[in-house]
Each structure stands twice: as structure tokens, then as C-alpha cells.
């Protein structure tokens, strides 16, 4: 917590202001008053020694803010700072804010854990409520020290950057939370504008303000910053964007973020239809969970300071509860699911909620509960006004944390979700905290009247493996408690009062699904071989060293794609050769002899690095990225290759070049490989006799020219995500055309066949490392077309291996030939479902 020192000429004034600030901010605010001289009766004046001692008493690594009343107090404080050890002086900020109002605002901001810069900003704005009330413009005090003197008419310098948002869900709550955390770490005013929609600017210190910009994948934002650390904060945000605000590096994210596809079924009379939220089938009695409204105490509000203190205490109680839930979810369902609750905590620290509540309490005389509820409703409504359904669903998160605070405020906290017995939980809606506490042994399934498949409650249900259907409407609430229902998380249906045959069918489906998942996990370590004895290598896509452990545990036979960007993003300089070697060697050792394909640096216009500046590109997907960029920075590539060669001398490491279009690019890259080999050997290091090299086939030209590349490589790895995007001219990040970029389109399958046909005469390995590799419906078709390696995220590996073992290649080839002659991805999927779905 930031410490606060109040320096006044009068000891009584300093003590009085401190008392008032503690009333508003809370008794545990770290605050020290200093007034008068160090003499009997404390005569009027200021004493640098006393100020120095006060700073030491409130010292915090978060910093110390000092407010002063008159000019000589400033001089005494400056002398006191000079007395501090040199390493502490930079964390003491002398603030020009109004003494009384500034102290109160600073105490409140410090108490809720805001940074030194934020506390100072709140203090400086202390006069704003009074000015607004009196109808006069507020202005910075005369002689303000916040900005250096400028020539008349000079403007504060504003720096800006433009960023393309590439993570799949845009700036959703968790991504926005990471942006807010990054902005709060610097002394700068940061504002964000959605350039695609024109919405904004929004202050980057507010999670709600950023979230309600409605930024989606493929949209462009402008980040503007002013202040002492403007350059640093922009570079930090640029680096954060390069790693997808924490989303792109998490291979398991898609497994829980993506709702199950809708499965067409025949509707039965009486069946309720909603939206599939979590796969699986369950049978059981309805167990209603009714959320009662939290009653706020009647009567007039207490003193504002008392109401604010009560609200603060309730917020802190909710924070403790949220952190406990986060830790429990991390243990049960992993860090990706638990990150939901990091965003929830940020909601409670957000000035978009706190400021209106504070104003309602201190200026309007409202009670804490009503002030808080009003603020929550206003912010939730701003989320609901967004067009994107995923972002609209965040309104439920705001309401959920708002309810948690009200529960603590009214003494209703601590009540846990409980059912009369095991069964299917039916509710109007569930909060993420409610869902996180569900026990799969008691809750067989979840059916809600409201909610959507992208809600955080749905995400948690998927991570916990509980079948769920949402958006069923009020009809589900009318089903009597104890009524037997069949809930189908694949089709999004609930069937009340099923007959014996329907129950038996549902139980059979549920058992088949559970058995299939369990069997896949149990057999994960076994080789993946088709029914006719053809071996297929099932590999893992990984993005960090720790992912290698999960890959081995999941049964991966190799790593089909190591995204080396993890070493390059989120930093201000290039990683050196030794650092890269250590990271690659660590992964190779975890793999224990399993092969690893190391993809060279794949960044560019759409994934920029601050220390590799590039001009803005109108269409970065068609610009300088992948190998194109590496060839313009040969020393960067050479350093990476030296590290890879050193590891390849001891472990089975293959190197893959991304975004290859022409044979000339490949040959230039191979020349740099030999230069790197010479460098290593000249320095006394060892290199492998032969380094296996390959290319990512992700551009149609590369697939169509595969026969030209084949004599110069040892393998092809087909990136079906980009291959589909380029072949079908449909950007995956553009929600209006993303549906066209289905890699099971016959045109994409023909490119896969062309690549495999070129590889066959030279017996080259052909793999797929795009999302299509994890689609069990696509697995037989890919194998039939000549693919012999499938690489996907670790959670999908057991399922892929099980799918491989069920493939009869002769039958699969007959189906594949039919698929190539069809006219759409939908037609291919229908054919594959008919031929392969069991």
C-alpha cells in the first residue's frame, strides 16, 4: 500500500486532516501527519527531520506520497527526501494537490491498492467534486509541479501506437485486465481508442472502460500516452499485444473457451431447446437453485464516512473470496480457467465502479448498498450495449462481483450453493463463482434459463467436465423439482419426463462419452496406428517450456510445433544465443528423446516486436512476416539457428521455416544455417551431422509448388489455419467472413493432397499443425490424403490418437475422393459425419 505523509505548518491542522482522511479511507491507511517545529508546544513551522522520520514510518516499496500546505513545507520536504538513502528517493512523490481534499482522495485510493501514480492522480483531482457541485470549472492549482514548464501555447507531448488485436476473443475481460495491469505499472496517462468502430477513447486504468470499447479480433486500436513513462508504457503494451494479451501462448485455452458445435438432432415433443455450452449427456432429477435477492437495509444512510468504510470492508471481503475461488479453480481446472477471477478482482478495483459509488455516498447522501448497486447496474448496462455476444456476456461478471460485495455488506456472504440431492442443476443463471464450486459427483449437468455458451460460467463448466445447456428460457424454471430430465450438451436440449427407452438411450450415450474420454486418456501413451497397421505420429503444439511436461503427460510422441516466440515477446531486447540454447535444451530434455520441430521466429506486421521496428502495413497478413522478416534480419536468424544446432547435437531437433513462398527464400535460409554451423564449430561447439529442415506449408503457392521444395527439405508441416485463410480469402479474425475459413473446404483438402503427393516419391514426412489436426472428423480424411503426423494442443492428443486407431485407410481413401469433388466445407462435414461418426 502507498504510504502518505501530510506536512503542515500547524500540528493541529495536520492531525485534523489526517483524522478526516482516515475516516474516509479507513483506519488501516498508512498515513502520518507532520506539523510544527520539533520544539515544546510545537510552534507553527515545518521541520525536515520530522518529515524524514514520517516518511520512514510509512515507507512502502509501493512508494510514498507527500502533500504539503505552504511553500516552506515544500522546502522542508525536499530536504527530508535528500536525507533518504539514494535508492529510496525515487519512490517519494511530492504532490501539488489541495491539502485537505487531496489527502482524503489519496487515502481512499491508497486503501484500495492503487499505484503511487494513481494515488497522486486521485489527490490532484480532489477539488473536482466541489467544483462540479458549485458549477465552476476545476483547474490545476497555481504552480503545479506535475508537468515541466513549457513555452506559451505548447502542448503536452502525446505518443501513440496502433495495434491489431489478434487474440481470438479480442479484448475480453481477462485480456483487458492484463492491459489495465500493464498501464497501471507506469507513471503515464494512457487512453485507448477502438479505431475500427470509433468508440473511445477510454482510460487504460479502468477494466470496464477498456472492456466496453468492444474490441474484437482483427480490429485495430490506438493507444495514446502522456507523462514521464509514456514511451515505456507504450512499449509494454505493444509487447503484451504481441503475445495476445496472454491468450496466444496458452495452448489449452481453445479447449475451454470454444463452445461445442451444435449437433443436429430430431426434436421430440416436450423437448426444450437452448444452446450447447459444455459437451456431454446426463440423466437425473431436476434440482432447482434459486438465487434470492439481497435485501438492502431500509432507513436513512449513516454518515458518509461510515458508509464508505462499510463498502470498502465489503469489497475487501469479496476480494478475499475471489482469490480463494481463483486458487481452488486453478487446482481443479487449470490456470486458464482460474484467470477469470483475476478479471473479477480488477472489476472491484475499477474507478468506473468506485467513483460513482463514492460520489453517491459523499455527495448524494446515499447508503453504501444502494450506491454500489446503482454503480454496478450502470457499468453492466454499458457491457450489455455492445454488439459482440462474447463481450455482452461480461455484464454477468460485473453483476456477479457486485452481488458478492452486497452479500458481504449485508452479512449474507458465505452462503454456498447447495442442492437437495444429486441431479441436474436448474437455475435462472449461474455466476462464475457458483459454477466454480460445483461438484461433478453431485451435479450431473447444468441447465439455465439465461446465459450464453461464451459466458464464464459456461467456460468453467467445460473445464470441469459438466454437461451444460444455457439460454433455455423461462420454461426450464417451470419444470418441477425432482422431475427426471435428459440434458444433452451436444445438441443444447433438455427433455423432461423421458420414457424408459429415452432414458436408456441417454444413459448409453453418456456412458459412451465418458468411456471414450476415459479410454482415450488411458490409452494415450500407446502408439497411434490405424486399423490396417499404418503408424501415425501424434504430436503436440507447444508455446513454452512448461507445455512440454503437459505434452508428455498427454501421450505426445513428439513436438510438432515449438513456437519460439515465447523467448522474444514481452521484453525490450533480443534473447541471446545462450538464453535460447538453455530454453530449447530444457524442452528437449523434458521430451526425453522424442523429436521436436523448432519453428524459427514467426513474427511480423501482425505480431510486432518493439526492438524490431517495422513500418505500418495496411495488410500485415500479406506483409513482412515469418521467414520474410528473418531474412531481412539475418543475424537474428543466425543466432537462433546457432542455439538450435547446439541442442540438435545432443537431441532430435528439427528446424522449420514459417511463411515460405519461394524456393529462393528457402535456399537463403539454408545458407544461413550453414553459416551458423560454421560459427558454432569455429567456437569449439558440436553440431549434428545433418540437421533435418522443413517448411510450413501455409501459403497456397507453397502447396502448389511442393514438388519444387521437396528435394531440399526433410518434411512438410501444413498450417491449415493460415492455408485456409489464404486459399479462401477469409480472414480468421474477421467475424463476418471467419465462417468461410473452414479448413475442410474441398479447395484446402486439394492443397493438402498436392503437398502429400509431392512428398511421397522422396518419402518425406507430411504433418498438419493447424486446428484441423484436432478435429476428429477430419482425421480420417487427412490420413487418407497422405498426412502422417498430426500436431495439436496437449488436451486434444488422447482424442486424436483414439481417432487414428479407428481409421481404416482403404475406406477413408474412398470417402476422401468423394470429399474432393464436393463444393463446400459443409458438404464435406456431412459426408465425414455419415462415414466416420460413431
Amino acid at each position: 500500500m502507498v504510504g502518505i505523509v501530510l506536512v503542515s505548518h500547524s500540528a493541529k491542522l495536520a492531525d485534523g486532516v489526517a483524522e478526516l482522511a482516515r475516516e474516509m479511507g479507513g483506519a488501516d491507511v498508512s498515513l502520518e501527519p507532520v506539523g510544527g517545529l520539533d520544539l515544546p508546544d510545537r510552534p507553527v513551522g515545518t521541520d525536515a527531520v520530522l518529515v524524514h522520520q514520517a516518511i520512514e514510518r510509512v515507507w512502502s516499496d509501493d512508494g510514498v506520497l507527500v502533500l504539503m500546505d505552504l511553500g516552506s513545507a515544500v522546502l522542508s520536504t525536499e530536504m527530508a527526501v535528500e536525507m533518504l538513502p539514494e535508492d529510496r528517493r525515487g519512490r517519494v512523490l511530492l504532490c501539488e494537490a489541495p491539502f485537505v481534499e487531496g489527502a482524503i482522495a489519496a487515502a481512499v485510493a491508497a486503501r484500495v491498492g492503487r499505484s503511487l501514480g494513481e494515488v497522486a492522480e486521485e489527490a490532484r483531482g480532489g477539488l473536482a467534486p466541489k467544483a462540479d457541485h458549485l458549477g465552476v470549472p476545476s483547474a490545476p492549482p497555481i504552480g503545479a509541479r506535475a508537468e515541466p514548464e513549457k513555452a506559451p501555447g505548447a502542448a503536452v507531448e502525446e505518443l501513440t501506437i496502433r495495434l491489431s488485436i489478434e487474440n481470438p476473443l479480442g479484448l475480453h475481460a481477462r485480456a483487458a485486465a492484463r492491459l489495465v495491469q500493464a498501464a497501471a505499472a507506469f507513471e503515464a496517462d494512457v487512453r485507448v481508442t477502438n479505431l475500427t468502430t470509433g468508440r473511445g477513447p477510454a482510460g487504460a486504468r479502468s477494466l470496464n472502460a477498456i472492456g466496453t470499447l468492444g474490441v474484437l479480433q482483427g480490429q485495430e486500436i490506438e493507444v495514446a500516452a502522456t507523462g514521464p513513462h509514456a514511451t515505456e508504457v507504450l512499449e509494454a503494451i505493444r509487447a503484451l499485444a504481441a503475445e495476445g494479451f496472454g491468450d496466444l501462448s496458452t495452448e489449452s485455452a481453445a479447449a475451454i473457451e470454444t463452445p461445442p458445435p451444435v449437433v443436429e438432432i430430431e426434436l421430440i415433443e416436450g423437448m426444450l431447446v437452448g444452446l450447447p455450452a459444455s459437451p456431454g449427456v446426463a440423466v437425473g432429477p431436476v434440482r432447482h437453485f434459486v438465487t434470492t435477492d439481497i435485501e438492502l437495509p431500509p432507513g436513512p444512510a449513516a454518515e458518509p464516512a461510515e458508509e464508505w468504510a462499510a463498502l470498502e470492508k465489503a469489497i475487501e471481503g469479496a476480494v478475499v473470496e475471489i482469490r480463494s475461488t481463483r486458487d481452488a479453480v486453478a487446482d481443479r481446472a487449470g490456470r486458464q480457467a482460474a484467470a477469470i477471477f483475476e478479471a473479477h478482482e480488477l472489476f472491484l478495483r475499477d474507478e468506473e465502479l468506485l467513483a460513482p459509488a463514492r460520489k453517491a455516498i459523499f455527495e448524494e447522501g446515499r447508503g453504501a448498498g444502494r450506491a454500489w448497486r446503482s454503480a454496478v447496474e450502470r457499468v453492466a448496462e454499458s457491457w450489455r450495449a455492445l454488439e459482440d455476444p462474447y463481450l455482452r456476456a461480461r455484464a454477468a461478471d460485473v453483476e456477479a462481483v457486485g452481488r458478492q460485495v452486497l452479500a458481504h455488506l449485508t452479512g449474507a456472504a458465505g452462503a454456498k450453493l447447495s442442492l437437495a440431492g444429486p441431479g441436474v442443476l436448474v437455475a435462472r443463471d449461474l455466476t462464475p463463482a457458483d459454477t466454480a464450486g460445483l461438484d461433478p459427483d453431485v451435479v450431473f449437468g447444468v441447465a439455465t434459463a439465461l446465459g450464453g455458451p461464451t459466458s464464464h460460467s459456461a467456460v468453467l463448466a467445460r473445464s470441469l467436465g459438466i454437461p451444460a445447456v444455457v439460454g433455455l428460457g423461462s420454461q426450464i424454471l417451470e419444470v418441477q423439482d425432482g422431475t427426471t430430465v435428459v440434458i444433452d450438451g451436444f445438441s443444447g436440449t433438455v427433455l423432461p419426463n423421458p420414457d424408459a427407452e429415452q432414458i436408456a438411450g441417454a444413459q448409453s450415450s453418456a456412458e459412451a462419452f465418458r468411456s471414450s474420454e476415459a479410454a482415450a486418456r488411458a490409452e494415450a501413451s500407446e502408439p497411434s496406428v490405424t486399423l490396417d497397421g499404418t503408424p501415425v505420429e501424434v504430436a503436440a503444439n507447444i508455446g513454452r517450456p512448461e507445455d512440454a511436461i503437459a505434452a508428455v503427460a498427454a501421450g505426445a510422441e513428439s513436438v510438432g510445433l515449438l513456437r519460439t516466440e515465447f523467448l522474444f515477446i514481452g521484453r525490450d531486447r533480443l534473447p541471446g544465443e545462450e538464453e535460447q540454447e538453455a530454453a530449447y535444451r530444457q524442452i528437449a530434455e523434458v521430451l526425453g528423446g522424442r523429436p521436436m520441430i523448432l519453428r524459427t521466429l514467426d513474427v511480423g506486421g501482425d505480431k510486432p516486436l518493439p526492438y524490431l521496428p517495422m513500418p505500418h502495413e495496411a495488410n500485415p497478413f500479406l506483409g513482412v512476416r515469418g521467414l520474410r522478416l528473418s531474412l531481412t534480419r539475418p543475424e537474428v536468424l543466425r543466432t537462433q539457428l546457432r542455439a538450435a544446432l547446439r541442442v540438435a547435437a545432443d537431441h532430435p531437433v528439427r528446424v522449420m521455416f514459417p511463411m515460405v513462398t519461394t524456393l529462393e527464400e528457402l535456399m537463403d535460409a539454408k545458407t544461413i544455417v550453414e553459416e551458423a554451423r560454421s560459427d558454432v564449430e569455429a567456437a569449439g561447439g558440436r553440431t549434428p551431422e545433418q540437421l533435418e529442415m522443413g517448411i510450413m506449408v501455409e501459403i497456397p503457392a507453397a502447396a502448389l509448388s511442393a514438388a519444387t521444395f521437396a528435394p531440399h527439405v526433410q518434411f512438410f508441416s501444413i498450417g491449415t489455419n493460415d492455408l485456409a485463410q489464404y486459399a479462401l480469402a477469409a480472414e480468421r479474425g474477421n467475424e463476418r467472413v471467419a465462417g468461410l475459413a473452414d479448413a475442410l473446404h474441398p479447395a484446402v483438402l486439394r492443397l493438402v493432397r498436392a503437398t502429400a503427393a509431392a512428398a511421397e516419391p522422396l518419402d518425406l514426412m507430411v504433418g498438419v499443425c493447424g486446428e484441423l489436426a484436432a478435429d476428429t472428423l477430419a482425421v480420417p480424411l487427412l490420413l487418407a490424403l497422405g498426412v502422417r503426423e498430426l500436431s495439436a494442443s496437449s488436451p486434444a492428443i488422447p482424442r486424436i490418437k483414439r481417432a487414428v486407431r479407428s481409421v481404416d485407410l482403404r475406406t477413408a481413401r474412398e470417402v476422401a475422393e468423394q470429399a474432393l469433388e464436393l463444393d463446400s466445407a459443409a458438404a464435406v462435414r456431412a459426408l465425414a459425419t455419415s462415414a466416420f461418426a460413431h
Side-chain angles (χ1 to χ4, degrees):
M1 182 190 298
V2 170
I4 301 171
V5 174
L6 305 176
V7 182
S8 172
H9 283 67
S10 165
K12 290 182 179 180
L13 176 59
D15 291 340
V17 173
E19 180 181 4
L20 185 60
R22 287 196 181 98
E23 280 290 324
M24 302 296 188
D28 54 349
V29 173
S30 181
L31 186 151
E32 280 287 330
V34 183
L37 299 172
D38 191 13
L39 294 170
D41 299 325
R42 302 292 291 274
V44 170
T46 57
D47 189 311
V49 174
L50 292 178
V51 176
H52 172 262
Q53 293 170 348
I55 293 173
E56 291 285 5
R57 285 195 295 273
V58 302
W59 176 258
S60 164
D61 289 337
D62 293 328
V64 176
L65 183 77
V66 185
L67 297 176
M68 304 139 291
D69 62 357
L70 297 174
S72 62
V74 177
L75 298 176
S76 295
T77 303
E78 288 176 332
M79 291 175 62
V81 173
E82 289 297 318
M83 298 178 192
L84 293 169
E86 189 171 347
D87 61 338
R88 287 194 171 191
R89 296 172 193 167
R91 298 301 300 159
V92 179
L93 177 60
L94 279 58
C95 185
E96 74 289 351
F99 192 65
V100 179
E101 294 87 351
I104 294 169
V108 171
R111 180 63 182 79
V112 297
R114 303 189 74 181
S115 69
L116 180 59
E118 290 170 323
V119 173
E121 186 175 63
E122 286 293 314
R124 293 184 183 111
L127 286 177
K130 187 190 297 183
D132 290 344
H133 183 75
L134 296 175
V136 297
S138 59
I142 296 173
R145 296 160 48 100
E147 299 290 340
E149 290 187 12
K150 297 178 174 64
V156 176
E157 183 181 9
E158 181 179 78
L159 304 180
T160 63
I161 56 172
R162 290 189 173 201
L163 300 172
S164 178
I165 302 303
E166 301 305 329
N167 50 315
L169 298 174
L171 289 185
H172 61 105
R174 277 165 289 161
R178 294 180 180 109
L179 190 154
V180 170
Q181 289 166 341
F186 296 89
E187 296 286 343
D189 178 44
V190 185
R191 305 190 73 76
V192 181
T193 301
N194 185 334
L195 294 177
T196 305
T197 65
R199 187 178 285 124
R205 296 171 187 267
S206 168
L207 176 61
N208 289 298
I210 294 298
T212 52
L213 287 174
V215 180
L216 305 176
Q217 184 185 44
Q219 292 187 342
E220 190 176 30
I221 64 172
E222 180 182 79
V223 186
T226 58
H229 295 164
T231 300
E232 292 87 343
V233 72
L234 292 183
E235 291 305 324
I237 292 173
R238 189 196 299 274
L240 189 63
E243 59 176 338
F245 296 92
D247 284 352
L248 295 181
S249 63
T250 307
E251 289 297 328
S252 60
I256 62 172
E257 295 285 4
T258 306
V262 177
V263 177
E264 297 290 339
I265 67 163
E266 182 180 350
L267 295 181
I268 300 171
E269 185 178 356
M271 180 177 283
L272 306 180
V273 180
L275 298 168
S278 181
V281 178
V283 179
V286 164
R287 303 299 185 192
H288 280 281
F289 169 63
V290 180
T291 303
T292 57
D293 289 335
I294 295 177
E295 294 292 333
L296 298 177
E303 287 296 317
E306 185 179 337
E307 293 287 345
W308 179 252
L311 180 57
E312 280 195 310
K313 183 178 179 181
I315 290 172
E316 288 306 312
V319 167
V320 171
E321 188 175 41
I322 287 169
R323 289 175 179 173
S324 175
T325 303
R326 177 199 63 197
D327 294 342
V329 170
D331 291 339
R332 295 175 65 194
R335 290 179 298 171
Q336 180 71 14
I340 291 168
F341 296 98
E342 293 176 6
H344 281 200
E345 182 177 345
L346 271 182
F347 278 136
L348 296 183
R349 307 294 193 192
D350 198 326
E351 276 299 296
E352 290 288 309
L353 280 171
L354 295 174
R358 187 187 302 118
K359 181 178 180 182
I361 290 172
F362 285 103
E363 298 183 25
E364 300 170 16
R366 300 172 73 179
R370 287 177 173 77
W372 177 253
R373 177 175 282 173
S374 175
V376 168
E377 289 173 352
R378 183 183 64 84
V379 172
E381 191 55 41
S382 65
W383 283 97
R384 271 191 288 269
L386 298 176
E387 295 179 3
D388 180 67
Y390 185 89
L391 293 175
R392 280 202 307 270
R394 301 291 72 78
D397 291 81
V398 176
E399 291 170 330
V401 296
R403 181 181 174 82
Q404 282 180 275
V405 171
L406 289 178
H408 281 271
L409 192 62
T410 59
K416 299 297 181 182
L417 188 154
S418 61
L419 302 178
V424 174
L425 187 154
V426 171
R428 182 174 181 272
D429 203 0
L430 290 178
T431 69
D434 290 334
T435 311
L438 299 181
D439 181 352
D441 292 333
V442 176
V443 178
F444 305 153
V446 172
T448 63
L450 304 179
T454 59
S455 72
H456 280 156
S457 294
V459 169
L460 286 167
R462 288 194 287 275
S463 68
L464 294 171
I466 299 175
V469 178
V470 299
L472 287 157
S474 60
Q475 288 177 301
I476 189 63
L477 303 179
E478 298 169 3
V479 179
Q480 293 293 314
D481 205 73
T483 302
T484 299
V485 296
V486 171
I487 176 171
D488 189 330
F490 296 106
S491 62
T493 60
V494 174
L495 177 63
N497 297 307
D499 59 30
E501 184 179 351
Q502 291 164 340
I503 290 176
Q507 289 175 334
S508 177
S509 297
E511 183 56 37
F513 177 70
R514 285 193 296 268
S515 297
S516 176
E517 292 290 292
R521 290 191 295 271
E523 301 166 356
S525 61
E526 297 179 13
S528 46
V529 182
T530 64
L531 290 174
D532 52 289
T534 301
V536 177
E537 190 171 301
V538 178
N541 297 339
I542 69 175
R544 295 184 182 276
E546 55 264 33
D547 293 341
I549 299 172
V552 172
E557 297 163 4
S558 64
V559 165
L561 172 61
L562 168 61
R563 294 183 172 96
T564 58
E565 294 79 52
F566 76 90
L567 279 169
F568 293 80
I569 58 181
R571 56 192 297 159
D572 57 6
R573 60 182 178 81
L574 284 164
E577 181 180 333
E578 291 183 359
E579 181 183 355
Q580 293 191 55
E581 180 189 349
Y584 305 150
R585 189 174 296 279
Q586 178 187 355
I587 295 171
E589 289 172 352
V590 169
L591 293 177
R594 296 172 180 83
M596 172 175 72
I597 294 179
L598 182 154
R599 184 179 69 185
T600 59
L601 183 62
D602 187 16
V603 297
D606 64 321
K607 293 182 284 185
L609 295 175
Y611 45 83
L612 292 179
M614 294 180 57
H616 173 73
E617 295 180 313
N619 192 336
F621 287 105
L622 301 180
V624 181
R625 57 185 296 232
L627 184 60
R628 298 174 184 176
L629 176 62
S630 293
L631 291 176
T632 68
R633 309 286 204 286
E635 186 50 45
V636 174
L637 179 58
R638 194 177 295 112
T639 300
Q640 185 171 33
L641 290 170
R642 285 197 298 265
L645 283 162
R646 291 180 185 276
V647 178
D650 304 310
H651 302 278
V653 174
R654 305 162 179 163
V655 168
M656 176 167 66
F657 301 108
M659 193 75 178
V660 178
T661 310
T662 68
L663 180 62
E664 182 182 7
E665 290 173 336
L666 173 62
M667 300 311 291
D668 286 346
K670 294 185 72 172
T671 298
I672 297 175
V673 170
E674 292 310 309
E675 293 172 355
R677 183 190 295 275
S678 297
D679 291 346
V680 172
E681 293 174 352
R686 293 187 304 109
T687 63
E689 291 185 9
Q690 181 183 11
L691 177 68
E692 289 194 18
M693 288 177 279
I695 64 170
M696 280 195 78
V697 178
E698 50 192 333
I699 298 173
L704 296 172
S705 304
T708 302
F709 289 106
H712 305 283
V713 297
Q714 283 72 52
F715 65 90
F716 292 127
S717 186
I718 303 173
T720 52
N721 298 352
D722 271 344
L723 187 62
Q725 174 177 246
Y726 292 131
L728 302 171
E731 182 190 343
R732 290 180 291 128
N734 185 334
E735 73 279 2
R736 289 173 293 179
V737 298
L740 297 174
D742 188 332
L744 269 184
H745 192 285
V748 180
L749 294 180
R750 291 182 195 121
L751 293 172
V752 173
R753 183 178 65 173
T755 304
E760 186 177 6
L762 297 174
D763 197 26
L764 303 183
M765 189 273 286
V766 177
V768 168
C769 61
E771 292 176 9
L772 200 64
D775 187 338
T776 54
L777 203 59
V779 166
L781 296 176
L782 293 175
L783 300 187
L785 294 173
V787 171
R788 291 297 177 266
E789 184 225 45
L790 299 167
S791 190
S793 61
S794 295
I797 287 173
R799 202 178 315 123
I800 297 171
K801 297 182 83 169
R802 188 170 179 81
V804 168
R805 298 187 193 108
S806 69
V807 172
D808 179 333
L809 273 178
R810 187 182 64 178
T811 301
R813 289 190 182 103
E814 293 174 357
V815 177
E817 288 301 318
Q818 297 176 51
L820 292 170
E821 300 304 317
L822 297 176
D823 58 7
S824 69
V828 172
R829 289 193 176 277
L831 173 65
T833 299
S834 173
F836 306 127
H838 302 293

